[in-house]
Amino acid sequence: MATEKSKREPEEKGKESAREAALDFIREVINKDLETNKYGGRVATRFPPEPNGYLHIGHAKSICLNFGIAREYNGICHLRMDDTNPCKEETEYVEAIHNDVRWLGFDWGKHEYYASDYFQQIYEWAVKLIKAGKAYVCDLSADEVHDHRGTLTTPGKDSPYRNRSVAENLDLFERMRAGEFSDGSRTLRAKIDMASPNLNLRDPVMYRILKTPHHRTGDKWCIYPTYDWVHGQSDSIERITHSICTLEFENHRPLYDWFVENLGIHHPQQIEFARLNITYTMLSKRKLLHLVKGNFVRGWDDPRMPTIAGLRRRGYTPAAMRNFCKDIGLTKTESVIDVTRLENSLRDDLNKTAMRVMGVLHPLRLIIDNYPDNQTEELDAVNNPEDAGMGTRKVPFSKELYIEEEDFREDPPKQFFRLSPGREVRLRYAYYVTCSKVEKDASGKITTVHCTYDPATKGGDSPDHRKVKATLHWVSAKHAVDTEVRLYDHLFTKPDPEDAEEGKDWTSNINPKSLEILTGKLEPSVTKAKPGDRFQFERLGYFCLDADTTPQKFVFNRSVTLRDSWAKIEKGQKE
Ligand code: ATP
Ligand code: MG
């Protein structure tokens, strides 16, 4: 991790790599600030999560942006726990945040901070504003404050407590802190302008009384600063140069500016960008918490969750996630990214890195009648056609195999080119086989397909260049490893999960069929895998060994399907 630089050369180098990167509006601002020496050549960003839930892919975008900028400019990026709300924060979340940021490939070094560590300083600054006549204790209830606030088109009304003397305010504020008053009975408010067209400037609340212990400060405080009052000051204390946040804070910026200017303290530059939205995906910690607490999913790291922990368990790689965040770029206007772009980023990465294996999800028995009964051959299979360096492996072949149910049709429709009676196909890495007959059970369901093989086609090529229109994957029955396979669909049935029918809420859009569990058969090479290892099951998609795996039971998650593979096969092309 880059640390703050005093030496000249590394900084120059850092600036250059930033210039090479495609310039977005945020980097443009930073470059300009460097040119004018606004912050003495420093670049300090921060990622400020509230530890009230697990991080999701939207946070990943912010992490990549903030830590990425620090890296490019040889600056620093702070990790700050924005832990000012005592009610919702837990240590479990702090640990999950550490874990997820590191896993994404970023390191905050010694720069980990907690907004709660600033409570004393923030308190003193509040006193400073009171003394300057710029803050007052208000006895209106939350509802009354709301009623006095006015609307976008009508000005607000002054609080009857707005003109208390400095001495009275200081006394009341001190007593608020000492615990003399009950929760919600008083607040400290900034004295700005109840008629401002910007509602955020209509005497916003700075402190509320909340007799709730905090996960770090215990019961030291019974007044807590609001997000708006603490956020900019935290940035200022840490001497952040560029405070990057999402668009909803754009019209809070005048308030943050007002605070730092009236306190006369370091003034970071806030820059807003559009938050990430993805189709079929819920990106709100509050709602994700509801999914967890309501047992709609199996936990924060359920592979259907858009959390970093969930996507990791699903099989996402840090590189895939970083590439996605980079590819979608930065904008100033809200948009929704198609979830297939996220999936494609994983396909692109795993295509290059994942070991290929053969596995069958809906097994159909295939017997090669003319193959010697007790023979096993070890056939050579390519581990990754994209990367010769990954080498080859041996796959056992024998008389009894499993193929995919879908790869056989007794009565093939016109466009079906895979196995059917009388037809010859290639078994990948093995032989050409021709179907001779089928066996059925009492209900008429096909239980076994019988074939003959051509020994001259070993390895999957025929010496006479005979054409076959399909190549099937398979597993040797007696060598196969049973596995539970979890297939996932979108967690929501609608592209916009919030778009609920009248009288219903967003949970009515939860997809009841987002998880399908199968028992599949895999080639034995997978027995060496460890949870987290990722594979391509040929023709079926990318799969990741799940943490639920035990010595008795393998569990694989399907990370993502292959792109249009079936469509191609149906058209009769060889894969
Ligand atoms: P949520 O709405 O999911 O609860 P939040 O904004 O309340 O998110 P924080 O913990 O405050 O969560 O977020 C930490 C940082 O991550 C903030 O700087 C915020 O701007 C950024 N962030 C949160 N959600 C997104 C998103 N969808 N896209 C980009 N950045 C995001
Ligand atoms: Mg927030």
Side-chain angles (χ1 to χ4, degrees):
M1 170 69 199
T3 49
E4 203 151 7
K5 286 282 181 281
S6 51
K7 280 183 249 125
R8 196 75 194 126
E9 311 85 50
E11 193 169 344
E12 282 301 330
K13 198 165 146 255
K15 277 187 200 166
E16 215 167 84
S17 64
R19 273 195 214 113
E20 281 162 17
L23 261 199
D24 50 67
F25 62 92
I26 294 182
R27 288 168 174 92
E28 264 170 20
V29 172
I30 297 175
N31 284 354
K32 202 150 153 263
D33 290 347
L34 287 171
E35 266 162 38
T36 60
N37 211 29
K38 185 169 172 189
Y39 296 107
R42 282 189 317 121
V43 174
T45 56
R46 84 286 176 267
F47 172 64
E50 186 180 349
N52 61 348
Y54 279 56
L55 300 179
H56 53 59
I57 181 79
H59 295 111
K61 178 170 178 177
S62 177
I63 293 167
C64 290
L65 180 60
N66 283 293
F67 281 94
I69 283 174
R71 197 176 272 176
E72 284 159 36
Y73 288 90
N74 266 309
I76 47 175
C77 180
H78 294 185
L79 175 64
R80 182 195 318 137
M81 301 299 165
D82 224 330
D83 58 348
T84 50
N85 184 347
C87 305
K88 293 193 236 150
E89 287 139 11
E90 285 177 31
T91 314
E92 176 200 346
Y93 299 138
V94 171
E95 278 160 20
I97 290 167
H98 287 162
N99 206 12
D100 291 345
V101 175
R102 279 207 193 95
W103 179 79
L104 263 181
F106 299 105
D107 184 358
W108 53 93
K110 57 183 193 314
H111 298 287
E112 180 180 0
Y113 304 98
Y114 288 79
S116 56
D117 286 345
Y118 307 143
F119 281 171
Q120 182 61 33
Q121 174 69 76
I122 300 284
Y123 176 82
E124 286 164 21
W125 277 335
V127 170
K128 185 173 171 182
L129 289 183
I130 295 173
K131 286 182 176 161
K134 290 172 180 166
Y136 62 98
V137 173
C138 178
D139 300 358
L140 295 180
S141 67
D143 285 346
E144 289 166 330
V145 168
H146 185 261
D147 291 343
H148 278 68
R149 207 168 175 222
T151 64
L152 281 174
T153 48
T154 54
K157 267 197 317 227
D158 283 3
S159 159
Y161 307 98
R162 198 171 198 263
N163 293 317
R164 276 179 164 151
S165 69
V166 168
E168 189 182 3
N169 282 320
L170 285 174
D171 173 61
L172 285 172
F173 188 48
E174 179 54 43
R175 287 161 62 196
M176 272 169 68
R177 180 195 180 158
E180 214 177 287
F181 310 120
S182 59
D183 282 14
S185 60
R186 288 192 158 93
T187 54
L188 183 75
R189 299 175 67 182
K191 192 168 175 178
I192 308 180
D193 179 5
M194 286 308 291
S196 171
N198 184 338
L199 268 68
N200 294 306
L201 295 177
R202 294 186 186 172
D203 291 10
V205 171
M206 295 165 63
Y207 273 97
R208 57 226 139 99
I209 303 172
L210 216 53
K211 290 180 177 152
T212 303
H214 183 276
H215 78 130
R216 291 184 94 237
T217 58
D219 52 14
K220 181 158 181 233
W221 295 90
C222 64
I223 53 171
Y224 290 95
T226 55
Y227 182 85
D228 273 349
W229 164 234
V230 87
H231 192 78
Q233 277 55 257
S234 303
D235 283 343
S236 181
I237 290 171
E238 292 175 21
R239 302 190 61 73
I240 297 302
T241 58
H242 298 88
S243 172
I244 301 168
C245 62
T246 41
L247 278 183
E248 64 269 29
F249 292 102
E250 190 167 20
N251 52 25
H252 294 237
R253 177 157 30 98
L255 172 61
Y256 300 168
D257 290 347
W258 188 91
F259 281 136
V260 289
E261 276 156 24
N262 280 282
L263 291 168
I265 57 177
H266 169 76
H267 192 156
Q269 175 63 53
Q270 175 171 306
I271 314 172
E272 306 86 13
F273 70 101
R275 62 188 293 118
L276 172 64
N277 302 299
I278 305 180
T279 55
Y280 298 100
T281 307
M282 179 60 78
L283 291 182
S284 145
K285 268 188 285 181
R286 191 171 58 78
K287 289 183 178 159
L288 295 178
L289 176 67
H290 187 77
L291 291 174
V292 173
K293 294 273 188 244
N295 294 316
F296 295 102
V297 293
R298 295 175 172 191
W300 282 104
D301 68 345
D302 186 302
R304 290 166 291 182
M305 289 282 271
T307 50
I308 296 177
L311 292 167
R312 171 168 62 232
R313 187 161 179 183
R314 176 83 170 251
Y316 272 78
T317 60
M321 226 181 266
R322 287 194 305 262
N323 290 342
F324 169 73
C325 292
K326 193 166 152 213
D327 290 349
I328 55 176
L330 293 171
T331 60
K332 266 274 184 198
T333 43
E334 290 289 345
S335 66
V336 184
I337 302 290
D338 195 311
V339 68
T340 54
R341 291 184 67 179
L342 178 61
E343 294 166 355
N344 283 341
S345 73
L346 183 60
R347 291 183 178 109
D348 288 346
D349 190 40
L350 293 183
N351 181 39
K352 287 179 265 167
T353 56
M355 174 91 177
R356 271 53 168 173
V357 293
M358 289 196 284
V360 173
L361 299 189
H362 297 93
L364 171 63
R365 186 178 299 271
L366 181 150
I367 297 180
I368 304 173
D369 292 324
N370 61 338
Y371 194 85
D373 278 351
N374 294 314
Q375 179 169 306
T376 297
E377 286 180 274
E378 295 285 336
L379 303 176
D380 288 313
V382 175
N383 286 336
N384 187 335
E386 304 289 321
D387 181 359
M390 286 176 71
T392 60
R393 68 186 184 287
K394 298 285 186 192
V395 184
F397 184 85
S398 65
K399 186 181 179 82
E400 261 192 59
L401 311 171
Y402 292 112
I403 61 165
E404 209 65 61
E405 230 169 52
E406 276 182 297
D407 281 340
F408 180 81
R409 296 278 183 92
E410 192 177 19
D411 243 336
K414 223 169 168 203
Q415 289 302 308
F416 185 90
F417 296 105
R418 290 169 268 160
L419 197 61
S420 59
R423 187 175 296 164
E424 185 171 51
V425 297
R426 174 191 293 109
L427 294 179
R428 190 137 169 99
Y429 302 124
Y431 293 99
Y432 283 16
V433 291
T434 306
C435 175
S436 49
K437 62 178 186 213
V438 298
E439 278 176 48
K440 296 181 183 176
D441 65 14
S443 71
K445 186 176 165 0
I446 296 169
T447 54
T448 307
V449 173
H450 287 267
C451 289
T452 54
Y453 84 121
D454 176 358
T457 57
K458 182 164 177 176
D461 280 318
S462 80
D464 60 357
H465 306 295
R466 211 155 73 228
K467 285 225 158 52
V468 283
K469 284 192 170 168
T471 301
L472 310 188
H473 61 276
W474 50 271
V475 235
S476 164
K478 70 176 170 213
H479 302 95
V481 179
D482 282 338
T483 183
E484 175 174 320
V485 180
R486 299 175 183 168
L487 306 182
Y488 301 103
D489 195 357
H490 302 140
L491 192 48
F492 292 91
T493 53
K494 294 217 179 124
D496 176 4
E498 305 272 6
D499 174 25
E501 279 161 40
E502 231 185 281
K504 294 185 176 170
D505 74 355
W506 60 276
T507 56
S508 65
N509 290 331
I510 293 174
N511 179 3
K513 295 189 188 133
S514 59
L515 170 63
E516 183 188 356
I517 299 179
L518 304 173
T519 305
K521 304 274 185 187
L522 298 177
E523 68 169 67
S525 72
V526 296
T527 50
K528 292 190 230 97
K530 292 182 293 299
D533 285 356
R534 306 172 185 90
F535 297 89
Q536 185 194 99
F537 292 0
E538 295 217 26
R539 299 174 68 223
L540 297 174
Y542 294 98
F543 292 75
C544 178
L545 191 64
D546 190 78
D548 284 346
T549 296
T550 63
Q552 288 75 40
K553 191 171 103 177
F554 272 76
V555 179
F556 272 95
N557 296 311
R558 182 161 70 193
S559 314
V560 66
T561 55
L562 293 181
R563 212 176 329 219
D564 285 341
S565 59
W566 289 113
K568 243 177 19 189
I569 293 160
E570 287 293 348
K571 284 199 203 96
Q573 297 168 5
K574 214 177 84 178
E575 320 151 82

